[in-house]
Amino acid sequence: MQLDRYMTLCLGHPAHGYYMSRDPFGERGDFITAPEVSQIFGELIGVWLASAWANMGSPTTFNLVELGPGRGTLMADILKASNVMPGFGEAARIHLVEMSPALQALQQKKLGASAAWHDRFAGIPEGPMLLVANEFFDAIPIRQFEKRGGAWFERCVGAEGIGLTPAALDGIQGADGDVIEFAPQRSQIAEEIGERLVSQRGVALIIDYGHLQAAPGDTLQAIRAHKYVGVTECPGESDLTSHVDFEALGKAIAPGQCAAITQRAFLLAMGLEQRAAILTAKADAKTREILARVVSRLAGEAEMGNLFKVMVATSPGMATPYPFGKI
Ligand code: SAH
């Protein structure tokens, strides 16, 4: 089967899918995401969203949308921090796009029943929109093609593992040995977001690991208990992800209306160090040590800081929000 079919089954099969019945996050789980590293991550995003809302003219109701909310930690921190902006919380209608019943239950516990759940972005009702997605697109399946002996082959999964089948990829350049990745499902969701930003006013903030410019390379990986495992080693028992090609994502959302920077640049511009300093001043020695670790983990050049990127997409005609450069 093609890789995207394999990933769809491994991650989302109703009975055996990786996300469908478990909470994979944290030290005892398989991996840790930025909102689980520190509340500061969600606080800075909350402040950014509150300011985006004010820049949109503070609509009296709007859809606050999150794709793939995991444990609901990011949304909870966003709501706490955005309290600094009077009216934001009352105007927000929370819409969560989540395919996993187990994670929906965790989100409900954390955020209360006031949120609405959807299994796809297309289900979000009309209205002004602020959207956030952290480590969502890396979990959306991809297809891979490999060039061998001057011809393209598709990497497919069979009983023996990954093998190659001839593919018709006419007109795509590549050197022998190159692997290129396409993510039709990612592009589909991105196009839907882009269309929504045209029909309704809004902004989308997309955070993930990946690259700003498309480049060949095999980025598919499987993680279990904080260690890499083979992609076909334990289907449904490991997290399967791949790097997000932000160039392709930006083109699918809205050509000319997206801008992206590193997570490091975003968090430092939003006041990561200042916020950590305020918390440090009130903290005991152990917490101070943790806070120092958190800053380098989220923004360190050799940690998440450069690997992760933050992309903004806006409705046509809206000014590019701080701290992104001119679109
Ligand atoms: N944003 C969270 C969780 C990231 S893990 C965090 O940063 O901690 C990916 C999340 O996306 C999980 O909640 C997973 O269940 C959800 N997800 C993955 N693929 C999905 C899909 N196709 N549709 C809806 N939700 C999906």
Side-chain angles (χ1 to χ4, degrees):
M1 64 178 83
Q2 289 166 343
L3 264 184
D4 56 349
R5 170 91 180 125
Y6 176 72
M7 287 181 77
T8 298
L9 290 170
C10 285
L11 298 178
H13 183 280
H16 307 294
Y18 175 75
Y19 282 113
M20 300 310 269
S21 57
R22 79 187 76 217
D23 169 10
F25 308 99
E27 303 288 350
R28 277 198 238 137
D30 293 310
F31 60 97
I32 300 183
T33 57
E36 305 296 336
V37 168
S38 168
Q39 68 187 59
I40 305 180
F41 183 79
E43 288 173 348
L44 298 179
I45 289 173
V47 168
W48 188 90
L49 290 169
S51 133
W53 175 72
N55 286 338
M56 279 165 60
S58 311
T60 47
T61 62
F62 71 97
N63 295 325
L64 179 55
V65 179
E66 184 175 358
L67 309 182
R71 280 183 175 165
T73 309
L74 175 59
M75 184 54 80
D77 291 336
I78 286 171
L79 292 173
K80 260 184 261 159
S82 58
N83 267 334
V84 296
M85 185 66 82
F88 180 94
E90 295 73 45
R93 303 287 174 272
I94 299 166
H95 292 278
L96 307 173
V97 177
E98 175 57 68
M99 70 173 178
S100 158
L103 291 175
Q104 271 194 20
L106 280 181
Q107 293 154 18
Q108 193 151 1
K109 224 161 124 192
K110 188 158 269 169
L111 301 166
S114 62
W117 279 265
H118 308 268
D119 56 12
R120 44 184 40 237
F121 172 77
I124 307 291
E126 303 216 321
M129 172 178 83
L130 296 181
L131 177 144
V132 65
N134 185 63
E135 290 209 42
F136 170 75
F137 281 98
D138 66 33
I140 303 300
I142 57 163
R143 291 170 68 180
Q144 287 185 328
F145 296 86
E146 189 173 326
K147 197 150 195 186
R148 283 269 182 98
W152 286 108
F153 293 85
E154 178 152 15
R155 303 187 80 201
C156 291
V157 178
E160 325 276 80
I162 292 189
L164 298 177
T165 44
L169 270 197
D170 298 333
I172 305 243
Q173 302 290 322
D176 241 36
D178 273 2
V179 174
I180 54 171
E181 300 179 333
F182 291 113
Q185 295 182 45
R186 262 184 212 158
S187 301
Q188 167 72 32
I189 300 167
E191 276 166 26
E192 287 169 11
I193 294 172
E195 281 159 22
R196 194 59 74 94
L197 291 175
V198 171
S199 66
Q200 314 277 322
R201 275 172 70 73
V203 298
L205 193 70
I206 294 167
I207 307 141
D208 225 307
Y209 74 119
H211 34 275
L212 294 176
Q213 264 121 32
D218 170 9
T219 74
L220 184 62
Q221 64 180 41
I223 297 256
R224 187 181 194 185
H226 304 273
K227 290 200 180 72
Y228 291 108
V229 292
V231 166
T232 56
E233 199 178 318
C234 37
E237 299 288 324
S238 62
D239 186 33
L240 284 178
T241 62
S242 70
H243 283 216
V244 173
D245 173 352
F246 278 93
E247 186 182 339
L249 202 68
K251 278 188 188 146
I253 292 184
Q257 260 148 245
C258 294
I261 54 180
T262 63
Q263 175 165 303
R264 172 180 175 78
F266 179 82
L267 292 178
L268 292 181
M270 288 304 295
L272 173 67
E273 286 169 327
Q274 290 82 348
R275 180 69 182 131
I278 289 170
L279 295 174
T280 300
K282 298 184 275 190
D284 57 30
K286 186 157 179 274
T287 313
R288 261 185 253 150
E289 216 172 278
I290 293 173
L291 283 164
R293 273 293 304 136
V294 156
V295 169
S296 78
R297 196 147 175 200
L298 292 176
E301 291 183 332
E303 297 188 68
M304 296 173 87
N306 284 344
L307 177 60
F308 280 71
K309 311 295 187 300
V310 184
M311 171 178 269
V312 67
T314 68
S315 292
M318 271 171 70
T320 310
Y322 176 87
F324 296 89
K326 219 175 147 33
I327 292 177

